[in-house]
Amino acid sequence: MEPSPRTIIIGGGIGGLALAQGLRQAGFGDVVVHERDRSPVGRMQGYRLRISPEGERALRACLPRRAQDLLVATSNARRQEGLVAYDEQLVKAWAPEFSDPRGDDPDKVDAVDRVTLRRVLLAGLGDAVRWGSRFTHYEEVDGKVVAHFAGGHRDTGDLLIAADGANSQVRAQLRPDDRHHDLGVRAILTRTPRATAIGAGIPDVLRDQFVNVTAPDGVRLAWMPMVFRTPPREAAARLWPGLEFDDTGDYYMSVFSVHQDHLGLTDDAFFAMSGAELCRLVLDKTAGWHPDLRNVFAHAQPEETYPLALRATMPVEAWPAGPVIPLGDAAHTMPPTGGVGANTALRDAAGLCRALTAAFRGERSLVDAVTAYQREMVGYATEAIDMSLRIAKWSMKKIDVNETEHSTTPAQ
Ligand SMILES: Cc1cc2nc3c(=O)[nH]c(=O)nc-3n(C[C@H](O)[C@H](O)[C@H](O)COP(=O)(O)OP(=O)(O)OC[C@H]3O[C@@H](n4cnc5c(N)ncnc54)[C@H](O)[C@@H]3O)c2cc1C
């Protein structure tokens, strides 16, 4: 067998690290991940992530057994299935029927803490991950790809994987005309420690379930618990001694979203707000809501509160089938409403891993393998974006997907 291609992955987020794990498992000896963050906790990355059946399957396909055990041990303790919708006075609107093919499997992973997932994805990768390495551009020279990084260092490989997220720099170079569609929705993401929320008298309906609150004016709050089966540090000490995990406690993640028209603020003003100002803005916008809802928001952590714009890639398109290959949000950004962006990135990682393995083993050409991977990816990522947009549209009662054709923000 030929030596495995030197594979340079730009971005040590969810998709990039899952691919690195998968390629390692498949026998690729020369895989390197360049990540701009200085450490695994180097920046706000979000909090709780829903893991779908497809996402769990992809994670398990990429991870070695011990890391899978760590994943299960640190995942959300399932207390109640599904989502329940309320109005802003906490009157129950409906509870959709969910059918999960995983049934009641006690090892089912249906939600994780994002930083803990990153720790799991890093397990065993060691110095294959280069922290503080910010990609700037690449060039193709004599059949190789040379990646350049801030500070002047470079790395040469056979393949360059663009796993650098929604504002992909690789994509900006290869596809400079691509634009994300701005959905006109602005969101505020925050978290509240579970012990604080319970101490503040959180009502039972908000305690153990994923709750979606929609007010008549389309202002929306999604509220979801993250209760670790085992505290991450304890799980790591038991299952993989020596791994560094964080001392993270249980919490609620909440995402407050509002159409720009209701916000009454320019983007410059909104994105310049501090966490404390964002928390106050939520309290202002929910003035007539049930006091129990406002009370829990009053206990959100200002230092863990961030503004977001909801964007989507439309349409999702394949990139030229060459040595520069897209993965995850770099190829298909979507709003968090469907809870599928990370799951789609994981699916990409598992699919690309299979494709590259087949090419490496000589079962098909690299161009064929990458073309097939992208064809499949375009299909399921388009479905994921459509579903996320439908949910965003339904819950905000305001978004006209066709109107967003005229409202774009550059992919940077
Ligand atoms: C509030 C919120 C909630 C969400 N909830 C869910 C959910 O429940 N379920 C779900 O499936 N999805 C969810 N998503 C979507 C999910 O977060 C993304 O789809 C997912 O992170 C994409 O993975 P990725 O690997 O493509 O990109 P990322 O995870 O964003 O990773 C990209 C990495 O590239 C690095 N990088 C960027 N530029 C450079 C550079 N120039 N050089 C080097 N490194 C670089 C970044 O630092 C980052 O680590 C949510 C998103 C948000 C905002």
Side-chain angles (χ1 to χ4, degrees):
M1 208 186 296
E2 293 278 306
S4 64
R6 178 166 170 77
T7 308
I8 298 175
I9 300 174
I10 306 297
I14 292 169
L17 292 176
L19 177 67
Q21 288 280 3
L23 291 177
R24 280 278 190 93
Q25 296 259 70
F28 281 58
D30 201 3
V31 177
V32 62
V33 181
H34 289 272
E35 168 56 51
R36 67 178 173 184
D37 290 347
R38 302 217 156 267
S39 78
V41 290
R43 128 197 88 92
M44 199 294 287
Q45 300 160 49
Y47 304 115
R48 178 195 193 267
L49 285 174
R50 165 188 173 260
I51 299 295
S52 67
E54 296 80 11
E56 180 177 353
R57 206 175 307 123
L59 264 169
R60 289 185 184 275
C62 292
L63 287 173
R65 183 70 226 187
R66 197 148 61 128
Q68 290 182 44
D69 292 344
L70 207 43
L71 174 76
V72 173
T74 55
S75 64
N76 187 43
R78 288 173 303 121
R79 297 181 177 230
Q80 187 160 342
E81 297 291 324
L83 169 155
V84 189
Y86 289 85
D87 72 9
E88 82 291 359
Q89 300 307 327
L90 270 183
V91 175
K92 191 168 172 178
W94 50 268
E97 290 283 317
F98 276 111
S99 70
D100 186 330
R102 295 171 291 187
D104 265 343
D105 179 350
D107 282 349
K108 164 166 113 173
V109 175
D110 61 6
V112 293
D113 169 60
R114 194 176 183 122
V115 174
T116 305
L117 173 64
R118 201 182 203 192
R119 294 278 192 201
V120 170
L121 288 168
L122 283 164
L125 288 182
D127 61 7
V129 183
R130 311 282 155 81
W131 297 101
S133 190
R134 179 188 286 273
F135 168 88
T136 55
H137 63 285
Y138 71 88
E139 53 190 332
E140 292 186 41
V141 182
D142 300 334
K144 300 276 183 191
V145 188
V146 183
H148 294 262
F149 299 89
H153 64 286
R154 61 179 69 183
D155 196 353
T156 302
D158 301 294
L159 299 171
L160 182 79
I161 313 299
D164 51 344
N167 294 323
S168 170
Q169 195 60 35
V170 181
R171 177 180 173 131
Q173 178 177 344
L174 187 68
R175 299 170 60 90
D177 296 329
D178 281 4
R179 293 286 183 273
H180 293 311
H181 294 260
D182 185 334
L183 301 177
V185 177
R186 300 296 173 257
I188 297 171
L189 170 68
T190 190
R191 78 181 216 161
T192 308
R194 186 170 153 88
T196 308
I198 289 173
I202 187 174
D204 282 353
V205 291
L206 295 179
R207 206 175 159 123
D208 291 324
Q209 57 189 4
F210 183 155
V211 168
N212 188 89
V213 175
T214 310
D217 57 2
V219 175
R220 174 180 184 248
L221 173 70
W223 170 266
M224 53 213 93
M226 177 67 217
V227 180
F228 292 97
R229 290 183 189 192
T230 315
R233 198 168 269 183
E234 194 183 310
R238 177 162 52 85
L239 294 166
W240 200 318
L243 275 191
E244 194 187 337
F245 268 51
D246 310 281
D247 190 14
T248 313
D250 300 339
Y251 60 86
Y252 294 96
M253 175 170 105
S254 37
V255 186
F256 168 86
S257 22
V258 57
H259 197 275
Q260 262 177 322
D261 295 352
H262 282 306
L263 201 56
L265 286 170
T266 63
D267 268 355
D268 284 350
F270 178 61
F271 287 102
M273 290 176 100
S274 67
E277 288 168 333
L278 291 166
C279 288
R280 273 199 300 278
L281 179 66
V282 174
L283 290 172
D284 273 2
K285 295 286 170 197
T286 55
W289 287 32
H290 193 289
D292 281 345
L293 280 169
R294 303 190 74 236
N295 188 29
V296 293
F297 227 98
H299 291 85
Q301 293 172 292
E303 68 282 11
E304 302 277 5
T305 305
Y306 300 89
L308 285 175
L310 269 52
R311 299 181 294 170
T313 309
M314 292 184 287
V316 180
E317 290 175 327
W319 295 11
V324 180
I325 307 167
L327 184 157
D329 277 10
H332 43 69
T333 299
M334 59 192 87
T337 39
V340 282
N343 289 293
T344 311
L346 289 167
R347 214 167 154 181
D348 292 356
L352 181 55
C353 185
R354 278 194 304 275
L356 295 181
T357 304
F360 165 46
R361 291 184 179 152
E363 294 161 14
R364 60 199 307 190
S365 74
L366 180 67
V367 168
D368 278 359
V370 171
T371 302
Y373 152 71
Q374 293 206 68
R375 190 182 313 117
E376 212 179 310
M377 180 262 278
V378 166
Y380 61 69
T382 300
E383 280 173 20
I385 289 178
D386 286 350
M387 188 267 276
S388 304
L389 288 175
R390 273 199 309 278
I391 295 177
K393 191 173 175 183
W394 162 80
S395 62
M396 304 294 305
K397 299 178 179 140
K398 247 319 225 176
I399 300 169
D400 183 335
V401 174
N402 296 323
E403 274 174 19
T404 63
E405 300 288 334
H406 308 292
S407 170
T408 57
T409 51
Q412 290 168 33

